[in-house]
Amino acid sequence: MAFEELLNDPVIQKYLHELVGPTGMPVAAAPPDGEVTDEELAEELGLELNDVRRALFILYENDLASYRRVRDEDSGWLTYLWTFHYENIPENLEEEMYRLLEALEERLDYERNHEFYLSEPAGIRFEFSEAMELGFQCPETGAPLEPMDNADLVDAMERRIEELRDELNVEVTGTN
């Protein structure tokens, strides 16, 4: 998939935005062909050099950019030449989906195996043991802690887990 096609995909735009943030998005959204220096990018995009470097480093950490160093013979200064590798985005997104699936499965297990109490005025949720230690009274408002039914949350998590499993072709290995 070409850079242009990738960058027109809203999922990929959101992924890049989550990585580099709004300040780094111009860097991520305008990958040049071939090598480019951070200074050239900053000048071309009208951005602060530090913002460009931050975005490049984040892309590098996520295997979406690489660099090579070239030492100036006269000054001894190093120049970093950056190359973008957006062909790695689909694989990175798939890895993110697996991490999300694992986190949701762990959270679902937690939600199923704990009893919760809620202080509605404060909007704070407590596990049973915490609520018991507090005498079933909210430490912030003094209001009584009421049993909380988390069935809707559990149902929503189960649906999302099933969607992710379907998308990733993951078989259910145990009972959740």
Side-chain angles (χ1 to χ4, degrees):
M1 192 180 287
F3 280 179
E4 296 79 27
E5 289 177 50
L6 281 170
L7 293 173
N8 287 330
D9 185 327
V11 172
I12 290 174
Q13 289 175 5
K14 174 103 172 107
Y15 171 68
L16 290 171
H17 190 272
E18 290 295 316
L19 284 178
V20 299
T23 310
M25 198 57 194
V27 176
D33 292 329
E35 294 180 319
V36 64
T37 67
D38 47 4
E39 291 93 354
E40 291 167 343
L41 273 176
E43 186 175 322
E44 181 181 318
L45 298 171
L47 297 173
E48 294 290 324
L49 185 57
N50 284 342
D51 292 336
V52 170
R53 287 179 174 161
R54 182 185 158 283
L56 288 169
F57 185 71
I58 291 168
L59 293 171
Y60 170 77
E61 286 180 321
N62 288 277
D63 296 325
L64 299 178
S66 63
Y67 65 86
R68 73 182 174 93
R69 293 184 300 214
V70 177
R71 186 174 300 277
D72 183 286
E73 295 289 328
D74 298 327
S75 68
W77 287 49
L78 289 173
T79 299
Y80 290 81
L81 298 169
W82 292 89
T83 307
F84 289 73
H85 302 288
Y86 281 10
E87 65 274 8
N88 295 337
I89 288 177
E91 183 180 322
N92 289 8
L93 284 172
E94 186 175 346
E95 289 172 12
E96 275 299 312
M97 289 172 66
Y98 276 107
R99 278 194 290 275
L100 176 60
L101 177 59
E102 185 178 325
L104 280 172
E105 288 172 337
E106 288 175 14
R107 183 57 187 246
L108 178 60
D109 184 56
Y110 173 78
E111 291 293 329
R112 285 180 172 163
N113 292 306
H114 290 85
E115 189 176 331
F116 299 99
Y117 287 79
L118 179 67
S119 167
E120 285 206 36
I124 302 173
R125 186 173 86 152
F126 300 91
E127 287 183 15
F128 174 78
S129 59
E130 294 173 292
M132 198 165 118
E133 287 175 17
L134 297 168
F136 296 92
Q137 266 193 313
C138 178
E140 290 192 15
T141 65
L145 299 179
E146 301 294 331
M148 180 186 164
D149 180 10
N150 66 346
D152 289 342
L153 176 60
V154 167
D155 289 345
M157 292 174 81
E158 287 172 341
R159 284 191 305 274
R160 185 64 182 123
I161 287 169
E162 187 60 34
E163 290 169 2
L164 280 170
R165 285 180 179 155
D166 287 348
E167 198 164 333
L168 293 168
N169 283 328
V170 172
E171 297 290 321
V172 179
T173 56
T175 54
N176 269 349

